[in-house]
Amino acid sequence: MSPTILLRDIDEPGLATLDVYERRGGYSSLRKALAMVPDAIVAEIDASGLRGRGGAGFPAGRKSAFLPKGDMDKYLVCNADESEPGTFKDRELMQKCPHMLIEGIVIAARGAGISRAFIYIRGEYEAQARILDAALAEARGAGYIGERILGSDFSLDVVLHRGAGAYICGEETGLLDSLEGKRGNPRLKPPFPALQGLYQGPTLINNVETLMTMPHIIEIGGAEYAKLGAPNSAGTKVVSVSGHVQRPGNYEVELGTPSREIIFDLAGGPPPGRRVKLWFPGGSSSPVLTEADLDIPYDFDSLAKAGTMLGSGAIIVVDDSTPVLDVALKVAKFYRHESCGKCTPCREGTNWTVRMLERIETGEATPMDLDIMASVQERIIGNCLCVLGDAMAMPISSMISKFREELEAHMLSRQLADVAA
Amino acid sequence: MPRPQSNTITFSIDGREVQAPENMMLADAAKLGDIEIPVFCYEPKLGQPVGACRMCLVEIEGIPKLQTACSTAVKDGMVVHTRSERAVEAQRGVVEFLLINHPLDCPVCDKGGECPLQDITFGWGAGRSRFIEPKRHFRKPLELSPLIAIDRERCILCYRCVRFAQEISEDYQLILLERGGHSFVGTFDGHPYVAPFSGNIIELCPVGALTSRPYRFRARPWEIEGSGTVCTLCPAQCNVDLTVRDERVLRVLARQNDEVDDGWLCDKGRFAYQSVHVDERVTAPLIRDGGELREVSWERALSEAAGGLRRAGSKVAALAGGGATNEEGLLLARLVRDVLGSPDVDSRPTGAVALDDWRALAAPALAAKVSDLEFAHAVLVLDCEPLDDAPIIELRIRKGVRRQGVSLLLATDRPSALDPSARASLRFAPGRGAEFAGALAAAVRGGDVDAAAAGVSAEEVAALASVLRDAGEEVVILYGERLLDGGAGALLDLADALGLASCAGAGLIGIPEFANGRGLREAGAAAGVGPGLGEVAGGRHTSGIGAGLRGGELTALYLLGVDPFVDLPDRAGWEAALEHATTVIAHAGFLSDGLREHATVVFPAEAYPEKEGTVTHPDGRIQRLRPAIARQGEVRATWSILADLCRALGSDTAIATGAAASAALFEAVPMYSGLTLEELAGRGVRWVEREQATALPRPTAVPAPAPPRPAPASAGRSLVLGSYRSLWSAPEVAASPALAFLHPPQRVEISPHDARALDRGEGEEVLAVDESGAAVRAVVAVRDAVPAGRAILLAGLANDGANVLTGGSVELRDPPPPPEPEPAAEAVGEEIEEALV
Amino acid sequence: MSGVRRYKHGSRVPGWDSAADLDKAPATIPDPALVEVPVELREQIEAAMARYPERHSAALPALRAAQDRYGWCSPEAIEQVACVMRVTPAYLASVASFYDMFELAPAGRHSVYVCTNITCSLRGADELFAAIEDAVGDDPEIGVRGFECLGACDIAPMVSVDQVYYGPLELADAARLVEDLRAGREPIPELALALRPSADPGAASA
Ligand SMILES: Cc1cc2nc3c(=O)[nH]c(=O)nc-3n(C[C@H](O)[C@H](O)[C@H](O)COP(=O)(O)O)c2cc1C
Ligand code: SF4
Ligand code: FES
């Protein structure tokens, strides 16, 4: 059994209140952190090997160390936009244990010498926003945030900011523009947010789960945490499993757990009589895997080696009852809808891809169109302002290459049907 | 503030070693090696690159992903490939993507032939598209404003136009709506994009999505010629490139001069060219005959004028303004002073300024230049509204604030469009700029401040002074020359208190009321001022000239580009003055009712595209005008008319060409000496930076601040009167069909407080009546930013201008029933429609 | 304005085809002397501006406050927000139209978002969406929109009714949901996400 850190007792009644959280030992890591010098906090996080849980998997300690030292307006932004299809872990974590997030935020801010933090939560999460707001008020009242926290010389203001429905605001620079009250268009990088982010100031951006892991790391120490998980993939991960499984939900596993265990043992696998046809290991942006890949260990490097990625840690299972074309269309339409429109390859490429897929669906395409579609994906990948374009192009490419026969068969059958008619 | 400067580095691009300034963007640096990298969204004028279109992707050794050349700074030793297989594949990809939804309707597109999309498709595209689904279609073209049409099918969403509205003009009216592939350029709730600088987006658009409605389908690029000159519709004197076909100006484009205009134009400059070719324009000489003006031959008009002048002799006075050139000013002053023996020449609309004041203000040590506004620590805008008085300067100020963090301070007598950008704003009493400057000088020195005469509190002045002191030593004061009505002493004292003369990058820039006010003065066409700010005997200033005419000491008036009924205060006084005059000679392009009634001889004035000569920018830059088209109709060169009159009156100037007139100017004005027209070339020369600047005579005594005049006060239900001239109150605007909608009707701006107290509402028609009983019809405009107790009216209007009023305050009364509706109104409307089709 | 066109998917059909109305005045920053803003709304917007180092950051909360008050971001509502925030209405329109949750046309009292993204559609969301649309018919009080992944694939197929999550729904729940809404009851209460325990074996308190 893997250790449970984030989801442990998460259904305990009242855990969202300060009382119960404190009773369970909550905020003791914060006390500990306040007694440490900031660099030591960052050093512990660095030693833990914790990699970002938002999608890119960047080492959390290193990111924090990028921020310039010294007295200036620096910001921490907690990315709670959680909009990657298939992902719903941050929702459950924030809803049930908001104080752990607040504690993580204060620890991370203290480490990087930050005095102003924002939680950017997607607008649709209204219930979670209310819960967080209440928790922030409690924490403020108890002196865990605000001026001179717990009597120390450290102050931190935390503001909850609600989005309004745009996937691109999960991309860190799009998020910053959105938080500045603009359209959520991604920015050119460099400059990276660590040097020039929110209001042009150095900004540390971390995912909810990343930040929620920090109290535990401070509690047990970075080296101890690093013992969990797989090489280069330390710790546990909350995985959202959905689609054609019998027990969809969030499961916390040690990184490196075989994927089959997650999909079958925990989530119950596809309904009786059905087989796994394809699965997204890291949200809809990850290239798809097939039944043959079920034994890949679920960690950053193993999935990268398999040509895909862990992403946000969301497994979507599709069984053999569903045509791959339906999946491809849903994916492409999603990214077309969510493309911010700023850069050409993403804006036009997502649209063109949908139009081609629609043509395949209606039987007006030939196998040559699959080649054009594959080449269009090639022209998107790596050429966009942010990686939203790639996030469509990579899974679509993978579906074309892994399910070419099925797609060609579909075209043929539509054409035969037309001829018959 | 530090100005950009950098080392030279060497990098390699497509196998060539190229030297470039370090940190220049690769897209620009490539050009230094004669390599073109295609761009759409990149336009350095718009500020930081956005990297949106992805057209400029290139390969840089050592970086795994392709990089956008528009946003990558060159570094020493960088190795760049713009034509590698990967780069070419990406570039073709972007062109293909862009053309997916582009209609390819080049044969019917105004941009065809000068279109970056066409050129880049040809140069970097694959030559075919694999996109076979139907393209999207929208209604097109649509009006975006009366001036601009939008074709959304053609738009490639490069962001240039919306960035202009956000980061350059900062009007935030033009926006992107919706998201992703649905994004489109538009405005809020269908409001038109009407803003002072809107036309620049036409030039910025790299495709045919934004086009000029007046220019639509007027010409194809291969039929036209470009011709560079200088716009003289206001003191900003932007450099322009006129598009000409068959001796007609069809379009005005910016001709970028970073020291003048940064490559932008205001809409007046961009569209008022239409007034060159309208029927109302006077294009033949007229004389008064039986009470009516009628067309006559040049010989007749010249002899009539010469006769009138001869009869008046030393009782002639002259006023110069409008777009009159330096050469014209010189010749006018010669005609009046040397030939006719009258000292009375002026080129300011109001009171006297002493010669010593002019000399002190012109001192090269105090001269700031336009680009200093961008890099100063602080800019103090004093008694002027850049947007109305010299619009392009406003953009420069915004740029400095936005990009360099310049501290902007505003001290004016009415709300300013720059208020939101200012670190501090303060409103003094109308016409009390000099008093305010005096109080500020005292505050900067840390002395006792009495600001009552300026109508502000000592605390306000002290607060502004402290912001100013804390900002840093490089301070540029941009002042309106109207402030000099209260003497230059206070302003000079302020400059002294701030130590402007001893700090490079600090100084003064004065905005004259007339476009070439500075040049006319330096050419000697100002009261008590000889060429080169030299000594001359006496001379009435403008209001003295009016009085002299009314009193009979003067009998003839020569008007060079000035219409007293529109341009000068005290309209009734001028009406009486012209009534008394026996001879009124006017160079005019358009006749106001007043001129039509009182002029005895009218010479058709040249429009600036027809003119040659020089003008002097408020920052001392002498710029050259070059004729772009033949003079329309019977119009003759103004210098030649003045030379002809001199000859007819017995003094041959020996000036037979425009170039000779310029040579005479360079000879007469010591600071200009040695200049040649060639040297002025396309960019002009700032005389204050030349060696010959030392020829500027020093003031004989340091001008002392004049005693403060008491602040005007309101009593009872009356409001203190303030007035200003809008950017759009110009005959060229009224006469240009496309722009006429901007020519403002009279309105009176009052504060919400007064609106309540006087029970007047927005849009209500009132009569503004002053103490003397003079009255102007106006529409009430309630504005939050107007200080209580004020009424602000528009000057510079043909009939109902603020110059009808002479008192210091007004009451708002109910208007008499409206006069008979003018039958002409509708016809004008139709004409506009037609011109816009 | 009322007949705003939407794609089946839920997003607005943009106004590409509309010209500017040349009879209107340009929309600059509204003059406080001319725009009346309800006190409560003004206070909400000012409080939002005070929370951030830069007032523009209040754009989303301010627009949301206006939408809550008026039911949608009407041009008048946007003008009021613009007036308090000292920005042009265009600035706010540009922002509002970027985000899916702002209503730029009159909307009904209730909003129903039906997730039609991958996971939900694997579990019948497209049929559910059609069923709910059917049940609503042309009732202007209930706005039904297909929506991208709402972050609740564990309860697929799911809906968000007036910002409260419910799922998993059966086709038959469609009619009941609409009935409940019309009757002023909490819809399908037993399907509320808030009631759902975590799937992880370690979640339940020992
Ligand atoms: C299109 C796109 C959407 C993203 N959405 C999210 C998101 O919803 N939540 C999140 O935490 N990170 C998201 N990310 C990743 C963020 O950009 C960023 O890497 C992350 O917030 C960093 O936090 P971490 O280092 O703790 O993972 C997204 C990235 C992209 C390109
Ligand atoms: S209208 Fe022209 S300038 Fe504006 S986004 Fe479209 S292509 Fe660019
Ligand atoms: S020119 Fe470089 S991205 Fe547009």
Side-chain angles (χ1 to χ4, degrees):
Chain A
M1 241 330 257
S2 34
T4 320
I5 295 167
L6 297 168
L7 291 182
R8 182 167 58 96
D9 301 340
I10 199 157
D11 279 336
E12 179 169 341
L15 183 57
T17 62
L18 184 58
D19 246 14
V20 177
Y21 184 66
E22 278 179 330
R23 195 149 17 93
R24 251 189 42 173
Y27 287 111
S28 57
S29 295
L30 171 59
R31 287 177 200 279
K32 189 169 168 190
L34 286 174
M36 296 161 69
V37 294
D39 282 353
I41 299 176
V42 179
E44 288 300 332
I45 292 166
D46 202 34
S48 75
L50 175 67
R51 292 176 64 172
R53 304 303 195 218
F58 196 85
R62 264 185 45 216
K63 200 193 271 189
S64 174
F66 281 153
L67 263 77
K69 307 266 174 271
D71 211 15
M72 61 184 94
D73 287 333
K74 292 185 260 187
Y75 304 95
L76 182 145
V77 178
C78 166
N79 189 342
D81 192 57
E82 188 160 69
S83 306
E84 173 78 14
T87 317
F88 44 88
K89 62 191 177 72
D90 297 342
R91 185 207 77 213
E92 182 161 15
L93 290 170
M94 289 186 287
Q95 176 181 323
K96 296 183 174 172
C97 198
H99 284 286
M100 196 189 285
L101 176 58
I102 298 171
E103 187 176 6
I105 287 173
V106 186
I107 292 171
R110 164 82 174 164
I114 290 167
S115 61
R116 222 161 176 157
F118 295 90
I119 302 173
Y120 186 105
I121 185 168
R122 67 179 296 185
E124 295 87 342
Y125 283 174
E126 178 159 298
Q128 292 72 18
R130 283 181 204 276
I131 290 169
L132 268 172
D133 249 339
L136 284 168
E138 278 186 311
R140 206 169 286 123
Y144 292 122
I145 56 175
E147 292 292 312
R148 310 187 63 88
I149 295 171
L150 299 179
S152 70
D153 61 354
F154 179 63
S155 303
L156 179 72
D157 177 34
V158 185
V159 170
L160 181 74
H161 183 91
R162 293 183 59 198
Y167 167 65
I168 192 60
C169 296
E171 195 282 334
E172 56 189 16
T173 58
L175 184 156
L176 293 178
D177 262 27
S178 178
L179 184 45
E180 287 180 6
K182 305 175 188 155
R183 295 158 66 84
N185 289 324
R187 304 173 180 176
L188 264 180
K189 289 192 270 194
F192 288 93
L195 297 178
Q196 226 182 84
L198 190 62
Y199 311 123
Q200 301 296 311
T203 305
L204 178 62
I205 305 171
N206 274 128
N207 170 258
V208 169
E209 188 186 351
T210 314
L211 290 163
M212 282 180 79
T213 306
M214 296 197 179
H216 187 71
I217 292 174
I218 294 299
E219 185 188 330
I220 66 169
E224 198 55 33
Y225 185 85
K227 291 181 188 160
L228 296 170
N232 207 20
S233 287
T236 64
K237 173 86 188 79
V238 179
V239 184
S240 303
V241 190
S242 70
H244 289 140
V245 290
Q246 300 185 56
R247 288 191 298 278
N250 286 316
Y251 297 95
E252 184 171 3
V253 301
E254 225 178 312
L255 286 165
T257 304
S259 308
R260 186 186 296 278
E261 257 178 49
I262 306 173
I263 294 172
F264 283 85
D265 300 355
L266 292 170
R274 289 287 169 199
R275 308 182 60 139
V276 173
K277 174 174 183 171
L278 61 93
W279 54 291
F280 295 83
S284 66
S285 306
S286 55
V288 299
L289 296 172
T290 61
E291 196 175 19
D293 304 309
L294 282 170
D295 291 314
I296 295 177
Y298 197 77
D299 63 59
F300 288 102
D301 289 6
S302 305
L303 287 166
K305 220 165 72 202
T308 181
M309 59 189 195
L310 186 136
S312 55
I315 296 177
I316 307 169
V317 178
V318 180
D319 72 20
D320 54 0
S321 65
T322 304
V324 71
L325 184 61
D326 291 5
V327 180
L329 252 174
K330 282 284 176 192
V331 168
K333 283 186 175 171
F334 169 71
Y335 291 100
R336 175 174 71 172
H337 180 75
E338 299 295 347
S339 167
C340 81
K342 185 167 175 180
C343 82
T344 311
C346 170
R347 180 185 69 237
E348 304 297 338
T350 50
N351 181 37
W352 191 1
T353 303
V354 170
R355 306 273 296 267
M356 283 190 287
L357 286 166
E358 282 172 343
R359 228 159 14 88
I360 296 176
E361 193 180 32
T362 54
E364 292 159 70
T366 65
M368 207 181 73
D369 286 302
L370 286 180
D371 295 327
I372 296 178
M373 193 154 63
S375 130
V376 167
Q377 310 312 307
E378 287 303 311
R379 286 182 161 182
I380 295 172
I381 294 173
N383 291 341
C384 299
L385 181 63
C386 80
V387 294
L388 187 138
D390 300 39
M392 175 201 72
M394 292 190 304
I396 295 291
S397 280
S398 73
M399 283 184 257
I400 298 171
S401 68
K402 291 187 177 163
F403 294 93
R404 192 175 178 109
E405 272 173 32
E406 183 185 325
L407 291 168
E408 283 182 2
H410 175 91
M411 294 181 198
L412 196 66
S413 71
R414 289 303 301 240
Q415 276 152 9
L416 288 178
D418 281 352
V419 173
Chain B
M1 220 170 267
R3 289 160 209 239
Q5 43 169 270
S6 65
N7 310 325
T8 301
I9 53 95
T10 306
F11 72 108
S12 146
I13 180 162
D14 294 350
R16 286 183 218 184
E17 295 281 298
V18 177
Q19 305 223 310
E22 185 170 19
N23 288 330
M24 184 181 230
M25 291 306 165
L26 198 44
D28 296 322
K31 288 187 203 145
L32 303 177
D34 263 342
I35 286 172
E36 196 183 343
I37 298 178
V39 299
F40 287 117
C41 66
Y42 183 53
E43 168 50 74
K45 286 199 291 189
L46 291 173
Q48 290 296 311
V50 289
C53 74
R54 316 305 287 175
M55 189 61 239
C56 63
L57 287 169
V58 296
E59 194 166 349
I60 300 175
E61 287 187 10
I63 306 181
K65 269 187 160 190
L66 299 180
Q67 297 293 306
T68 44
C70 68
S71 65
T72 307
V74 279
K75 298 269 182 268
D76 200 43
M78 204 176 233
V79 182
V80 184
H81 303 283
T82 75
R83 307 301 287 160
S84 69
E85 205 181 309
R86 276 176 70 210
V88 167
E89 170 65 14
Q91 291 156 2
R92 288 190 171 162
V94 173
V95 170
E96 187 178 44
F97 285 136
L98 284 174
L99 295 184
I100 281 182
N101 276 317
H102 190 84
L104 299 174
D105 55 351
C106 309
V108 293
C109 177
D110 262 339
K111 199 80 175 185
E114 50 181 23
C115 174
L117 182 61
Q118 245 178 4
D119 298 345
I120 290 174
T121 302
F122 186 74
W124 285 268
R128 71 199 173 90
S129 172
R130 301 171 297 172
F131 183 81
I132 56 165
E133 6 285 305
K135 287 177 190 275
R136 49 185 207 196
H137 286 292
F138 315 128
R139 271 177 56 212
K140 59 185 258 185
L142 300 163
E143 303 92 0
L144 185 62
S145 81
L147 298 169
I148 305 169
I150 185 164
D151 180 325
R152 296 197 172 105
E153 284 180 358
R154 294 182 190 148
C155 172
I156 58 167
L157 291 171
C158 70
Y159 278 65
R160 284 186 179 206
C161 53
V162 293
R163 279 166 70 207
F164 175 81
Q166 289 166 17
E167 306 200 7
I168 305 299
S169 65
E170 300 184 329
D171 59 62
Y172 270 105
Q173 287 187 41
L174 191 71
I175 43 164
L176 276 175
L177 287 150
E178 302 291 334
R179 186 175 73 202
H182 295 155
S183 310
F184 66 102
V185 171
T187 55
F188 168 65
D189 196 31
H191 289 258
Y193 179 41
V194 175
F197 304 98
S198 69
N200 288 294
I201 64 171
I202 299 167
E203 256 185 270
L204 284 169
C205 182
V207 300
L210 296 169
T211 48
S212 157
R213 294 185 69 205
Y215 182 67
R216 258 184 100 80
F217 306 133
R218 289 295 189 277
R220 304 294 297 189
W222 47 89
E223 309 164 331
I224 54 176
E225 278 178 84
S227 184
T229 186
V230 174
C231 170
T232 60
L233 295 178
C234 90
Q237 298 179 6
C238 296
N239 293 189
V240 292
D241 191 47
L242 305 180
T243 297
V244 172
R245 192 178 78 177
D246 300 338
E247 302 299 343
R248 286 176 76 88
V249 181
L250 296 180
R251 178 170 72 168
V252 180
L253 300 176
R255 180 165 61 85
Q256 183 156 2
N257 183 344
D258 291 343
E259 286 299 333
V260 176
D261 48 48
D262 241 357
W264 307 121
L265 291 179
C266 75
D267 285 359
K268 178 162 73 173
R270 186 176 299 276
F271 296 106
Y273 69 85
Q274 286 189 322
S275 66
V276 175
H277 304 290
V278 292
D279 291 344
E280 308 94 286
R281 186 176 162 200
V282 182
T283 51
L286 312 169
I287 62 166
R288 184 160 305 281
D289 186 11
E292 292 280 314
L293 287 174
R294 109 184 135 76
E295 272 186 32
V296 291
S297 70
W298 271 103
E299 289 63 35
R300 178 75 203 283
L302 282 167
S303 78
E304 191 81 13
L309 293 173
R310 190 178 299 112
R311 281 192 295 280
S314 64
K315 291 185 164 186
V316 171
L319 295 173
T325 62
N326 298 342
E327 290 75 2
E328 292 161 13
L330 179 82
L331 288 170
L332 178 70
R334 282 205 178 154
L335 172 67
V336 176
R337 290 205 187 102
D338 304 349
V339 180
L340 295 165
S342 160
D344 299 323
V345 187
D346 202 1
S347 50
R348 283 190 82 231
T350 47
V353 177
L355 180 58
D356 270 355
D357 285 3
W358 287 129
R359 288 174 173 175
L361 289 168
L366 275 180
K369 57 181 188 290
V370 171
S371 55
D372 291 336
L373 292 166
E374 191 179 330
F375 296 100
H377 291 121
V379 168
L380 170 64
V381 171
L382 181 56
D383 208 359
C384 64
E385 168 62 339
L387 178 62
D388 290 314
D389 303 341
I392 285 305
I393 303 255
E394 196 213 40
L395 292 188
R396 192 62 74 105
I397 294 173
R398 290 182 184 277
K399 185 182 183 191
V401 172
R402 173 175 280 269
R403 300 204 200 158
Q404 311 293 337
V406 172
S407 292
L408 175 64
L409 299 109
L410 302 177
T412 56
D413 63 6
R414 68 180 180 94
S416 167
L418 283 169
D419 281 332
S421 306
R423 192 147 302 177
S425 297
L426 161 162
R427 300 283 106 86
F428 49 72
R432 291 297 175 267
E435 283 72 11
F436 171 77
L440 184 60
V444 169
R445 290 214 160 87
D448 274 350
V449 178
D450 179 5
V456 286
S457 72
E459 293 72 44
E460 279 180 283
V461 179
L464 197 79
S466 96
V467 180
L468 197 53
R469 262 196 318 258
D470 295 346
E473 53 181 357
E474 284 176 39
V475 175
V476 177
I477 301 179
L478 182 78
Y479 66 95
E481 283 188 0
R482 70 171 74 96
L483 167 148
L484 303 176
D485 283 347
L491 176 63
L492 290 162
D493 187 28
L494 176 60
D496 183 56
L498 290 165
L500 302 190
S502 55
C503 176
L508 304 175
I509 301 179
I511 305 292
E513 288 91 338
F514 293 130
N516 188 32
R518 177 164 189 163
L520 290 172
R521 178 162 74 239
E522 290 176 354
V529 178
L533 305 189
E535 207 79 50
V536 288
R540 293 179 170 88
H541 55 74
T542 300
S543 28
I545 290 172
L549 287 164
R550 289 192 294 275
E553 303 99 69
L554 296 171
T555 58
L557 182 62
Y558 196 105
L559 296 168
L560 180 59
V562 176
D563 180 342
F565 299 95
V566 177
D567 300 328
L568 305 178
D570 188 11
R571 185 186 163 108
W574 279 103
E575 184 131 27
L578 268 69
E579 194 74 47
H580 278 79
T582 48
T583 300
V584 177
I585 302 168
H587 290 253
F590 298 94
L591 290 176
S592 64
D593 292 348
L595 277 187
R596 197 184 302 280
E597 206 170 302
H598 292 98
T600 51
V601 179
V602 175
F603 294 129
E606 292 165 284
Y608 82 81
E610 299 160 349
K611 252 188 211 272
E612 61 185 319
T614 61
V615 287
T616 305
H617 188 277
D619 80 353
R621 178 174 304 273
I622 305 162
Q623 306 203 85
R624 179 176 177 189
L625 297 174
R626 291 163 183 265
I629 52 169
R631 296 181 190 88
Q632 308 290 296
E634 303 282 305
V635 177
R636 282 191 187 174
T638 308
W639 62 262
S640 74
I641 298 168
L642 291 163
D644 283 350
L645 288 173
C646 286
R647 192 174 319 107
L649 294 164
S651 165
D652 194 348
T653 57
I655 291 171
T657 64
S662 297
L665 172 80
F666 301 151
E667 202 182 298
V669 178
M671 302 93 79
Y672 295 7
S673 84
L675 275 176
T676 61
L677 288 174
E678 290 65 44
E679 193 183 341
L680 297 179
R683 303 261 159 256
V685 170
R686 276 184 88 215
W687 71 257
V688 288
E689 290 170 7
R690 299 174 80 229
E691 233 173 77
Q692 290 82 346
T694 50
L696 174 76
R698 286 176 190 285
T700 46
V702 180
R709 303 157 293 179
S714 57
R717 291 170 69 81
S718 77
L719 302 170
V720 175
L721 173 65
S723 71
Y724 73 99
R725 187 163 184 155
S726 146
L727 158 63
W728 309 116
S729 338
E732 290 84 1
V733 171
S736 295
L739 277 184
F741 79 102
L742 288 167
H743 193 262
Q746 184 57 281
R747 58 186 172 69
V748 53
E749 291 175 26
I750 57 173
S751 69
H753 170 268
D754 292 323
R756 275 190 302 275
L758 303 173
D759 194 21
R760 298 287 176 187
E762 174 78 9
E764 207 174 305
E765 248 198 74
V766 293
L767 208 56
V769 188
D770 70 5
E771 301 95 314
S772 74
V776 162
R777 209 177 249 279
V779 172
V780 171
V782 185
R783 296 290 174 267
D784 196 60
V786 172
R790 302 276 172 86
I792 302 172
L793 282 134
L794 285 168
L797 302 182
N799 292 310
D800 264 344
N803 63 349
V804 169
L805 307 169
T806 51
S809 64
V810 288
E811 264 183 46
L812 305 186
R813 303 207 185 129
D814 289 331
E820 297 278 296
E822 278 181 44
E826 212 161 310
V828 173
E830 263 163 38
E831 232 167 80
I832 296 170
E833 291 276 286
E834 224 165 86
L836 291 178
V837 178
Chain C
M1 227 3 228
S2 62
V4 73
R5 288 190 298 152
R6 278 190 193 282
Y7 293 108
K8 181 140 179 64
H9 185 74
S11 49
R12 293 177 289 271
V13 177
W16 284 320
D17 278 343
S18 16
D21 177 351
L22 300 189
D23 292 335
K24 289 185 178 175
T28 51
I29 299 175
D31 196 301
L34 303 178
V35 178
E36 227 172 287
V37 186
V39 178
E40 196 189 335
L41 182 61
R42 172 184 296 280
E43 282 170 0
Q44 280 175 307
I45 297 170
E46 281 170 353
M49 287 196 287
R51 277 203 296 275
Y52 304 91
E54 254 266 9
R55 72 178 197 286
H56 289 90
S57 282
L60 297 190
L63 284 166
R64 184 177 301 112
Q67 174 160 309
D68 287 349
R69 184 179 183 96
Y70 297 109
W72 63 295
C73 290
S74 63
E76 295 73 24
I78 288 182
E79 268 167 15
Q80 293 178 3
V81 177
C83 180
V84 180
M85 284 190 68
R86 308 312 298 142
V87 296
T88 59
Y91 174 86
L92 294 170
S94 176
V95 170
S97 67
F98 186 88
Y99 298 91
D100 288 335
M101 291 176 71
F102 290 118
E103 301 287 349
L104 295 178
R109 219 154 18 101
H110 299 288
S111 81
V112 180
Y113 299 166
V114 185
C115 175
T116 53
N117 205 291
I118 305 174
T119 299
C120 283
S121 72
L122 290 175
R123 290 175 158 260
D126 295 324
E127 297 75 17
L128 176 68
F129 179 35
I132 296 177
E133 274 196 317
D134 262 2
V136 170
D138 50 13
D139 184 345
E141 287 302 325
I142 305 178
V144 186
R145 290 168 64 182
F147 224 80
E148 295 301 356
C149 180
L150 286 156
C153 322
D154 45 348
I155 53 167
M158 59 79 63
V159 295
S160 168
V161 182
D162 296 332
Q163 310 303 323
V164 183
Y165 283 20
Y166 301 92
L169 275 75
E170 308 276 332
L171 269 189
D173 294 323
R176 189 154 62 89
L177 177 135
V178 174
E179 256 166 52
D180 284 347
L181 272 182
R182 287 196 177 126
R185 288 189 295 268
E186 183 187 354
I188 45 174
E190 75 287 359
L191 295 181
L193 170 73
L195 304 176
R196 198 175 167 89
S198 180
D200 192 275
S205 172

